[in-house]
Amino acid sequence: MTEHEVILPKTGIYEGDVVLVEWLVDEGARVSAGEPIFVIESEKVEMDIEADTDGWLHREAEPGLEAPIGTRIGVICPTEAEHRQIAAGP
Amino acid sequence: MTGPDREALERGLRVMTRIRAFEDRVMREFAKGDMPGFVHTYHGSEPVAAGVCAHLTDADMITSTHRGHGHCIAKGCDFEPMVAELYGRETGLCRGRGGSMHIADFARGILGANAIVGGGISLAVGAALAARVLSDGRVAVSFFGDGAANQGIFHESLNLAAIWRLPVVFVCENNGWAESTPVSYSTSVADIAERAAAYGIDGAVVDGSDYAAVHEAAGRAVEQARAGGGPTLIEAKVTRVRGHYVGDPEQYRSREQRRAARTADPLARLRAEIDIGDYEQQVVAELDRAYESARAAPWPDPAQVERFARSDPPPGPEPASDPPATERQGSYLLAVHEAIASAMRRDPSVIILGEDIAGGAGLGPPLEGAMGGTFGTTKGLIEEFGPDRVRDTPISEAGFVGAGVGAALADLRPVIDVMWASFAPYCFDQIFNQAAKMRYMFGGQTDVPVVLRMAVGAGLRAGGHHSDTLFSIFAGIPGLKVVAPATPADAKGLMARAVAENGPVVVLEHMSLYRTEGPLPAEHYELPIGRARVVEPGDDVTLIAASAGVVMAVEAAEALRSAHGISAEVVDLRTLSPLDVDTLAESAGRTGRAVVIDESPPRCSVASEVAATVTEAVFDRLRAPVARVTSACSPVPFSPPLEDAHLPTADRVVSAVLDLVGRQTK
């Protein structure tokens, strides 16, 4: 697997659960490092989370998910072909 | 000076590549949730650390900020102990005691990141002062942000460096934001470098995204500092590419503004010009190893939570608890003077600084008859040791105390005269956050051998700003040792010991005692810190006091004996921190009663601490509760009847003892 995990991140000193508020880009979209790709809520503050690498996004979680820091919510695939393969499922 | 040649540019690009890769990795790893606390990354300022530190050797010293990873890397820190420190591990640079915001590497001249905005500026001035006094050619550089330029310590530090023409370079990394406050709102000038003119030093604005420009400006400033030409203020304009900290929601700027900031890339220009091959991949591999090793590294042992909090005692056996026997009489003031003069003769690294300690030293000869301090304790020292080691300061408590602390990090042993203790709040950061915490936060990498002298005490009709004792304020700070001598012989021996100690010692000299006389041995001797002294033996009650309180206790003991047939033992604490628990417990346990006399206000006082300590140690042997006789819970008043009512007196001690005896019902 060469894809890059997208996780609910730790932001600041808060260590409790984080809410995935919304995705800012579509399933399968090409994203680039630094581009905001989803919004989280942590300690009642919403913030954009940026992609930390280039690639094609596969979303694995729905908005409204409330989960611990580090929870995987998607992947960024280095090629479109890999994204197609992952999106097709196992 | 011309700009950097190609080889220098390549070295710069490598350093910047290391910084960028480190910080990108910090962001990714921090998101996972297992890196404790919070971190601030250096994205956007890479050319500043790299371009400045290119001119420094390991012997040169820097002070850094909460955003200090870039400075550490540019100064040559290895990744592995840096990353281990970010994870709070025993193998970290500071053995996990500091973390990202307090990272330090003394072997590389990094005198610490500093999470107090502006906290490092005066320390760098002090490091430069040490370089000047020792004439060793070292240079100090202080990195700080635009927010720090609005702190008083910035202004005091620039003035000190200017009047002493110290080898220091001030580097302001102006990223436009003090946390969430824009510099356009917070700062009175368009360019912070303009403020150099206020202190008569050179100021330069440089594009902090341009490595060659930073390299050239810093080279000029470092060369000037090293050559004795004095300080420079460099303002490097940079972009805050990322948030204030990793995970900052950046509510102070729009999504569009954030996006624009992210596109700033100060490495791009050099990357286009210079090929460094697969260096970035090598750095990434180095980081892989550092993270793997850090995550597997041991945590510090919780049983060692207090390790490094206080300096170890000086080497050699502990000195005798009593001063040498003598027929010689002398004053408390002479005792302080002799201890300092003797320490300066014995150790060339001892310097003294403070307001008026020479008195008119800046005016040049004739020095004969210079004031020698407000109370005259340092009179005559400028004649013997010269203005380099007996250094008058401006009225800049934060600045010169910070400078003294910085000099203590750079091989001097400064004795700083704060003058009245009531002035100490001006330099509380330098005492509390810097001197007292550094050994601990840096995992024992450094000692901070500094003595802080303060005159304490009321009764001189001086009012609220010249009368405090502040016993509990200093005794309550981990990392400080605090002595409050009551006799000339103790004042001399404890001062001598304070200078010999490797950690910060606060010496509280009581103003009402300066003119008192007592036995004063002529020779040099030290008395141990942390040892109380039984002044007068007794059987029925223990009177515990320090400083001028001991005089009251002795007077009360005499009255109790003559008027009431009560035998009181008087114990002089001598040291307020650490307390000599054994002596207190032995005495109070034997007499069964204790009264503590304390000239500071009662709330959370040393008297309260002694009472609790004695109670915990010998509760089952006490015949009555431990009583406290303290000053009133008010500022020290001016009007004589009010001031008299404010202070503890021998009469009140007698009453407290009689009350205890009366309460004894068992």
Side-chain angles (χ1 to χ4, degrees), chain A residues 4 7-13 15 22 24 34-36 39 45-48 50 52 69-70, chain B residues 27-28 30-38 242 245-251 255 258-259 262:
Chain A
H4 188 93
I7 61 171
L8 289 177
K10 181 181 175 189
T11 57
I13 50 177
E15 291 184 336
E22 63 168 314
L24 297 175
E35 177 184 351
V39 177
V45 174
E46 287 193 2
M47 64 178 293
D48 294 355
E50 297 162 10
D52 57 10
I69 286 166
Chain B
M27 290 193 65
R28 275 216 304 283
F30 182 84
K32 295 177 183 172
D34 65 342
M35 189 182 287
F38 50 110
R242 299 279 168 189
Y245 56 92
V246 177
D248 178 2
E250 294 177 74
Q251 291 151 308
R255 195 171 272 169
R258 290 201 292 272
R259 203 183 287 250
R262 302 291 191 264

Side-chain angles (χ1 to χ4, degrees), chain B residues 326-469:
Chain B
T326 184
E327 297 291 308
R328 180 175 181 250
Q329 293 282 306
S331 71
Y332 188 98
L333 191 151
L334 180 64
V336 171
H337 172 90
E338 287 184 352
I340 294 170
S342 151
M344 294 187 77
R345 273 174 218 130
R346 293 161 65 92
D347 183 349
S349 71
V350 177
I351 65 161
I352 63 175
L353 66 167
E355 297 155 11
D356 306 315
I357 58 161
L363 303 176
L367 297 169
E368 198 67 35
M371 176 175 172
T374 296
F375 304 98
T377 50
T378 48
K379 193 171 173 66
L381 296 184
I382 181 114
E383 288 88 335
E384 181 173 353
F385 300 104
D388 235 22
R389 292 179 65 198
V390 179
R391 199 167 276 264
D392 268 340
T393 67
I395 302 177
S396 305
E397 281 86 4
F400 72 74
V401 171
V405 173
L409 303 177
D411 307 327
L412 291 184
R413 303 181 82 83
V415 177
I416 307 171
D417 187 348
V418 181
M419 210 188 274
W420 269 273
S422 303
F423 307 162
Y426 256 135
C427 46
F428 199 63
D429 175 66
Q430 288 67 33
I431 298 171
F432 173 69
N433 279 313
Q434 312 300 337
K437 290 182 183 173
M438 286 176 141
R439 181 170 194 268
Y440 188 86
M441 289 198 311
F442 302 155
Q445 286 185 71
T446 186
D447 281 313
V448 190
V450 68
V451 176
L452 295 150
R453 301 178 51 210
M454 297 176 208
V456 299
L460 303 181
R461 314 312 187 199
H465 287 172
H466 290 75
S467 303
D468 291 302
T469 48

Side-chain angles (χ1 to χ4, degrees), chain B residues 585-659:
Chain B
E586 190 284 323
S587 176
R590 180 163 37 74
T591 63
R593 301 181 190 90
V595 175
V596 197
I597 301 139
D598 184 342
E599 209 182 300
S600 291
R603 301 271 163 77
C604 305
S605 59
V606 167
S608 303
E609 180 66 22
V610 169
T613 301
V614 167
T615 305
E616 282 168 359
V618 293
F619 176 73
D620 50 344
R621 298 169 66 194
L622 292 177
R623 294 189 279 180
V626 179
R628 293 169 293 163
V629 178
T630 70
S631 71
C633 200
S634 74
V636 178
F638 168 67
S639 178
L642 287 176
E643 188 178 34
D644 292 347
H646 175 87
L647 289 171
T649 61
D651 284 349
R652 286 177 55 204
V653 177
V654 169
S655 302
V657 171
L658 295 178
D659 185 48

Side-chain angles (χ1 to χ4, degrees), chain B residues 58-83:
Chain B
D58 280 353
D60 294 322
M61 300 161 286
I62 65 166
T63 63
S64 170
T65 70
H66 58 286
R67 200 180 301 288
H69 304 162
H71 308 135
C72 288
I73 293 165
K75 199 70 169 51
C77 274
D78 298 324
F79 286 162
E80 209 169 303
M82 278 186 77
V83 175

